[in-house]
Amino acid sequence: MAKKHDVIIVGMGLASLATAARLWELGVKDIGIYTTAYGGTPFIAAINFVLPDNPYNDTTEQYNDDMIHAGYGINNRRLVKEMTDSTMEGYNLLRRWGVEFASNADGTTKLRHLSGHTYPRSLCCTTQLIGVEMVKKLVDGLEEKGIPVHMNHECLHVLTEDGHVCGITVKNPDGDIENVYAPIVVAGWGGVGNLFGVSTYPGDIKGNTLAIAKEAGAKLVDIEFLEYEPMVVMSPPGAVGEPCPTAMLGEGAHLLNSKGERFMLKVRPQGEGGSPKTLINKQIWKEVDAGRGTPHGGAWADLRHIDREVLKAYPWFFNRLMDNGVDPNEELVEVGPMAHSFSGGIMVDEHYESTVPGFYAVGEACGGVHGACRCAGNAASQATLSGLLCAQAIAESGDFPAREAAVHELPAEYARDTDVYGRFVPEAKEIAVKALGIYRRGETLEQARIRLDEMLADEEIKKDTQAWQVVQSIRLMVEAAWNRKESRGTHMRLDYPESAEEFEKEFSI
């Protein structure tokens, strides 16, 4: 007997958990969560909310403006406004499910100042990553309420019939392929970072989901915009890949080139704190290109003057440095940009429903909210708030029995051939790194399009569905990058230098 639910959620990161939690609160109880792991949520260090008692006179309007500015003006403004207007609803949702945030000595909520934000509005945990706290409280709460979590189930396809979603195909823990049915499917499967070689991405996010969504009939948006985390540790080897929180700049950290110069002050005289990620990335790359970079192609983060107790309040970062022989109060830390997250994804409406009826997307799986780049800490905020808004729209749509009755069983189809995967996927990922890096050229993108089309036209690739999906996902991103002629965010079109200069001037300060 095939499994059936009112709602299927694919993924178990914060966006999926927030969706499930709010659905349960609204009376939708037949929810099936299918996942391979927790995605990037356990690595979340911060989440942004505008609280009414903040001491900076912060407003949701200012938060809205900061998001539009960081996104280089191409965000879906309706989605941004709905997200920022709902900030307290998201905060209260997490608090209802037991999530605790760090407080100051006087009992007020501790707020940090992350890149891209006018004011400190980032909530955190000072004993562990806040993502760990959120996962634990939400997972424990859902389990107590009987919401089944089907671990080690990999989504292979989103099923549709007559243009409406009707379920998913999964690989179960035994390696068998089966279909699971529901009239509503919520994609909370993350982004595409692992298509780009070395990145900060968790290994369970394969990046083939763009093709899965496209195959189901969903439209995609802004998928040319890969995010780069600007201050990732580059040395020593045991600490490589650990992000130095951009909140450190708000704590008073400086960025130095190899000559000991605070190069950010050339473009941001008011100081490094609150600098947009794209600006930090670009200025580091400029210093490296000018021969003023560090040994591994980055910059120095100077934390030596920051109070030790402040540094210890970022224990995941502080401890990893100390465990690898680097005392940040005694020496400089080498940092630089690394592929980190994704601004694009499935195009959704104000209810987070895609162009395919019944198929929703939340968190990093959906596009349009961040535009060309997101503010630091906004991955977690958008995950929570998109899950909240999506769940409320689903609950209001109602009539689940009638919808489920319209779902019919379909054949479970999937092809596997490890040799075929090994033949196509490594080359495709090399193409992604070369064509979709920081600096992009039309000629390189055209060459990538030709080669990827050749791979997709090869009959052999159809013998491994995942290989086809990975190559197709990269091909979709290359096409989007080719069509985006101007420079925005970390997408720098070198064959259109006038647009790069224009947008850098407009968004640098």
Side-chain angles (χ1 to χ4, degrees), residues 131-202:
V132 175
E133 164 79 0
M134 291 188 290
V135 165
K136 177 172 174 47
K137 294 296 175 60
L138 287 167
V139 169
D140 287 351
L142 290 169
E143 288 181 349
E144 287 175 7
K145 292 166 176 57
I147 303 299
V149 176
H150 303 273
M151 292 296 294
N152 300 314
H153 281 73
E154 180 182 357
C155 179
L156 310 174
H157 296 291
V158 171
L159 300 170
T160 61
E161 188 174 43
D162 298 327
H164 194 291
V165 77
C166 61
I168 61 174
T169 301
V170 297
K171 181 171 69 174
N172 65 30
D174 296 325
D176 298 327
I177 309 302
E178 60 179 329
N179 288 341
V180 184
Y181 298 95
I184 292 175
V185 172
V186 180
W189 52 40
V192 298
N194 279 324
L195 298 181
F196 294 86
V198 179
S199 75
T200 64
Y201 256 62

Side-chain angles (χ1 to χ4, degrees), residues 195-465:
L195 298 181
F196 294 86
V198 179
S199 75
T200 64
Y201 256 62
D204 60 293
I205 301 177
K206 294 183 177 179
N208 60 326
T209 46
L210 290 180
I212 292 176
K214 185 74 172 178
E215 189 179 28
K219 291 184 179 179
L220 306 172
V221 64
D222 297 339
I223 60 172
E224 63 271 34
F225 294 121
L226 181 71
E227 299 270 354
Y228 282 79
E229 183 68 19
M231 296 163 52
V232 180
V233 176
M234 304 182 78
S235 179
V240 171
E242 180 68 45
C244 174
T246 57
M248 286 295 183
L249 300 178
E251 303 281 12
H254 304 148
L255 284 172
L256 309 176
N257 61 21
S258 61
K259 295 181 178 294
E261 300 166 334
R262 288 178 64 184
F263 57 90
M264 287 292 297
L265 298 183
K266 300 174 187 176
V267 294
R268 194 173 171 84
Q270 66 267 48
E272 294 95 334
S275 299
K277 286 187 177 185
T278 48
L279 182 62
I280 302 171
N281 284 327
K282 288 175 183 176
Q283 295 310 123
I284 291 176
W285 293 322
K286 284 184 177 180
E287 294 301 307
V288 173
D289 288 344
R292 297 187 294 269
T294 53
H296 295 88
W300 297 114
D302 188 357
L303 316 174
R304 294 173 296 182
H305 53 288
I306 297 178
D307 185 273
R308 197 165 187 81
E309 292 306 310
V310 172
L311 294 178
K312 286 183 177 179
Y314 300 81
W316 57 93
F317 172 69
F318 178 82
N319 292 340
R320 189 163 179 189
L321 288 178
M322 294 295 293
D323 290 344
N324 285 278
V326 175
D327 186 335
N329 279 133
E330 299 293 333
E331 56 190 298
L332 300 173
V333 180
E334 189 177 9
V335 299
M338 184 178 290
H340 176 63
S341 59
F342 192 47
S343 286
I346 298 169
M347 180 185 290
V348 296
D349 63 14
E350 68 274 18
H351 305 303
Y352 287 87
E353 188 171 18
S354 75
T355 51
V356 179
F359 184 28
Y360 295 75
V362 293
E364 203 173 349
C366 72
V369 178
H370 302 301
C373 184
R374 63 175 172 80
C375 297
N378 256 13
S381 306
Q382 190 251 347
T384 302
L385 295 167
S386 63
L388 170 90
L389 295 167
C390 174
Q392 291 174 173
I394 290 171
E396 289 173 7
S397 69
D399 200 15
F400 294 103
R403 291 185 178 205
E404 185 177 340
V407 172
H408 303 98
E409 294 189 15
L410 302 171
E413 299 176 340
Y414 192 73
R416 289 178 285 186
D417 188 318
T418 55
D419 290 338
V420 169
Y421 186 92
R423 175 183 162 193
F424 288 98
V425 171
E427 181 186 353
K429 289 186 176 183
E430 287 179 10
I431 291 172
V433 171
K434 181 179 179 181
L436 296 170
I438 302 147
Y439 300 117
R440 300 174 182 181
R441 295 175 174 82
E443 180 181 0
T444 305
L445 291 166
E446 179 62 20
Q447 292 171 349
R449 292 168 75 194
I450 292 170
R451 178 56 189 140
L452 292 167
D453 282 343
E454 290 174 350
M455 296 168 74
L456 291 168
D458 192 322
E459 289 297 319
E460 285 293 302
I461 199 171
K462 297 177 183 177
K463 295 180 179 178
D464 189 273
T465 303

